[in-house]
Amino acid sequence: MELLKLEDQALFQLADHDPLLEHVSRLWEDRDWIQRVFVRKVRDQSNKELKSKIICSLLQRDREGVLPNARQIVIPLLESGCTRSLRIDMSNGLPDKEENSRFLQLLDNCFLSGLQGYVDELLGLSIQTFNWLPTKTTPSMFNYNAPRQQPNTQISAEEMLYSMSKSFEKNKLSSRPARDFFLAILRKFVLKDKPAPPRKLDGHGYAHKPRGCGGRKCKLCPELDRFLTSSTEEQRQFLMMDEYQSRHIETQLPSDLFGCMTVSMATIAPATTTGNTKLFALTVVKLVREDEKEMREYEGRVEKLVAKVRPLRTEYVRTLLGDGPYGECVMLDGLLHGDGIALREAGNSKTNEKRRAEDDLQGLQAKR
């Protein structure tokens, strides 16, 4: 690339990186050209990958002694407002792997060249983009930028945090912006689905949540809800005028929690059948205590969350975040504790109760 062509060219591609560096290597002593042409040209580029690569190359050559005073070229470039365009933009969610690598490489080179002030500035500017994230998220929102990316290029929050922790640890980075950036990713993306312990059902025992239809004219579901919320009743028989009423009750009850069986009362007690009127008996058995099921689901979600943060349980991360945030966000203090955990310890007795309830239901079917 000729010098005059470079000065007239407005936009550059990544392929122009080497020719641009060649001109800088020849003209680095011409401070006027560096400021008037090179810094201005690079600053005005929209391609942050090109700008980052130029900055990293200049700093690396300065450290290696290949291009003396290249660091002094980078400083006015960063001071020209270029840092805002070089931050990592989190307003649409997590970046792809290439963007994450670009940003960490830029931070790494700035730190190695003694430019920690710009490292903190880049992190601080990046944190500002978090404020643009919606407070409520949907799963599709966090398939971050998927329409514009190829498969397997999306980085997960835990991958990003792990690579960041290794880069920060290598450079012994412990500044407030580094801490805030790390915590922001943890809280916005990793802990956004932090599970809440299941609520205790009143009376415990066999109590379940009400599951009736809530219809004002329904006369069946109020009785159903009284049975469900009872802490002492394990099973109940409901008398129905027809099979439709029986089906109405059954549709309210998940099959993994309840066993249902409908029989004609004519089969059990023929005297109950008169004329064209036929009664049906619906027997409902509570197979599993609802708080046990909810606790199993809760513990499963906790285990998945622990797997995400386990690689971050290092002395460096604890020092970076401080004991309080480290305990809350990485060690998940308090999340695994509570009365509900006793359900797992009592798992054998719970299993026996479920088996006994299932046996009761099979006994009813045998009678039929």
Side-chain angles (χ1 to χ4, degrees):
M1 180 188 297
E2 297 179 359
L3 184 61
L4 289 177
K5 182 180 179 182
L6 180 150
E7 295 182 359
D8 291 337
Q9 188 170 333
L11 297 176
F12 296 93
Q13 304 299 321
L14 195 58
D16 295 321
H17 167 270
D18 291 347
L20 284 168
L21 265 290
E22 289 177 9
H23 287 303
V24 173
S25 298
R26 288 191 297 106
L27 300 171
W28 67 272
E29 292 181 311
D30 187 346
R31 306 306 298 174
D32 178 68
W33 183 86
I34 291 294
Q35 291 288 342
R36 179 177 52 83
V37 179
F38 181 75
V39 170
R40 181 174 56 84
K41 291 284 186 183
V42 174
R43 179 198 63 200
D44 293 342
Q45 299 305 305
S46 59
N47 188 331
K48 65 167 66 176
E49 186 178 0
L50 172 62
K51 288 194 283 190
S52 292
K53 189 173 181 180
I54 288 173
I55 290 173
C56 291
S57 296
L58 288 172
L59 292 176
Q60 184 175 352
R61 293 186 184 192
D62 177 81
R63 293 194 303 273
E64 295 171 349
V66 176
L67 186 57
N69 294 321
R71 181 177 179 274
Q72 301 306 316
I73 299 175
V74 170
I75 291 176
L77 180 59
L78 293 173
E79 289 179 343
S80 67
C82 198
T83 49
R84 179 170 291 274
S85 64
L86 292 172
R87 66 185 175 181
I88 195 165
D89 188 352
M90 310 287 283
S91 59
N92 291 320
L94 293 172
D96 61 24
K97 294 178 181 178
E98 288 187 2
E99 172 63 2
N100 180 65
S101 178
R102 174 203 70 81
F103 187 65
L104 290 181
Q105 187 177 9
L106 177 62
L107 297 181
D108 190 46
N109 274 276
C110 286
F111 195 91
L112 290 174
S113 295
L115 301 176
Q116 182 171 344
Y118 294 107
V119 171
D120 290 343
E121 183 178 350
L122 284 163
L123 290 169
L125 289 169
S126 299
I127 291 171
Q128 293 177 8
T129 66
F130 281 78
N131 298 329
W132 303 340
L133 281 167
T135 54
K136 292 187 177 180
T137 59
T138 62
S140 60
M141 182 182 301
F142 286 104
N143 191 9
Y144 321 94
N145 306 325
R148 302 196 302 271
Q149 297 176 5
Q150 297 300 318
N152 301 322
T153 65
Q154 180 60 52
I155 194 168
S156 67
E158 51 270 29
E159 288 176 321
M160 185 176 182
L161 287 167
Y162 182 73
S163 62
M164 189 184 304
S165 68
K166 291 303 178 185
S167 176
F168 287 6
E169 183 177 10
K170 177 181 67 176
N171 294 313
K172 297 180 172 59
L173 191 60
S174 58
S175 64
R176 179 65 179 270
R179 168 189 177 274
D180 291 347
F181 188 73
F182 202 93
L183 276 175
I185 296 176
L186 261 174
R187 287 174 170 152
K188 285 282 188 179
F189 298 100
V190 179
L191 302 179
K192 64 183 178 69
D193 295 322
K194 185 176 180 179
R199 67 182 181 85
K200 284 290 184 181
L201 295 170
D202 293 338
H204 309 296
Y206 292 102
H208 282 247
K209 294 182 294 188
R211 294 179 180 273
C213 67
R216 288 183 298 176
K217 296 183 179 180
C218 180
K219 297 181 180 180
L220 301 173
C221 287
E223 182 184 356
L224 172 65
D225 284 342
R226 284 192 292 272
F227 163 65
L228 294 179
T229 56
S230 169
S231 62
T232 57
E233 280 190 276
E234 186 179 0
Q235 69 179 54
R236 182 185 287 194
Q237 189 177 79
F238 298 84
L239 294 181
M240 306 290 172
M241 296 299 295
D242 54 47
E243 289 185 280
Y244 168 78
Q245 292 182 329
S246 177
R247 286 195 299 271
H248 176 72
I249 292 293
E250 290 187 49
T251 57
Q252 319 298 326
L253 304 174
S255 60
D256 58 334
L257 291 178
F258 304 94
C260 300
M261 188 180 69
T262 302
V263 296
S264 169
M265 289 298 291
T267 304
I268 302 174
T272 61
T273 303
T274 59
N276 294 326
T277 303
K278 184 186 293 184
L279 296 178
F280 292 87
L282 169 64
T283 300
V284 178
V285 180
K286 298 174 180 176
L287 299 177
V288 179
R289 294 189 179 183
E290 189 156 13
D291 52 0
E292 177 192 1
K293 177 176 181 289
E294 290 184 351
M295 181 54 65
R296 285 202 306 267
E297 293 173 349
Y298 165 74
E299 289 179 342
R301 292 194 295 270
V302 167
E303 288 171 4
K304 290 181 181 179
L305 185 57
V306 169
K308 291 182 178 181
V309 298
R310 186 176 289 118
L312 305 177
R313 292 177 174 179
T314 66
E315 183 60 24
Y316 168 74
V317 175
R318 186 192 68 78
T319 302
L320 174 67
L321 302 185
D323 289 338
Y326 178 76
E328 172 201 350
C329 300
V330 180
M331 297 306 296
L332 305 177
D333 286 349
L335 192 59
L336 295 177
H337 303 291
D339 295 337
I341 292 301
L343 289 173
R344 172 166 290 187
E345 298 169 359
N348 292 335
S349 62
K350 301 290 182 178
T351 303
N352 292 337
E353 288 177 4
K354 179 181 179 181
R355 186 178 296 116
R356 180 163 57 83
E358 290 174 335
D359 290 342
D360 289 346
L361 186 63
Q362 289 174 357
L364 289 169
Q365 292 172 335
K367 289 179 182 179
R368 183 180 179 185

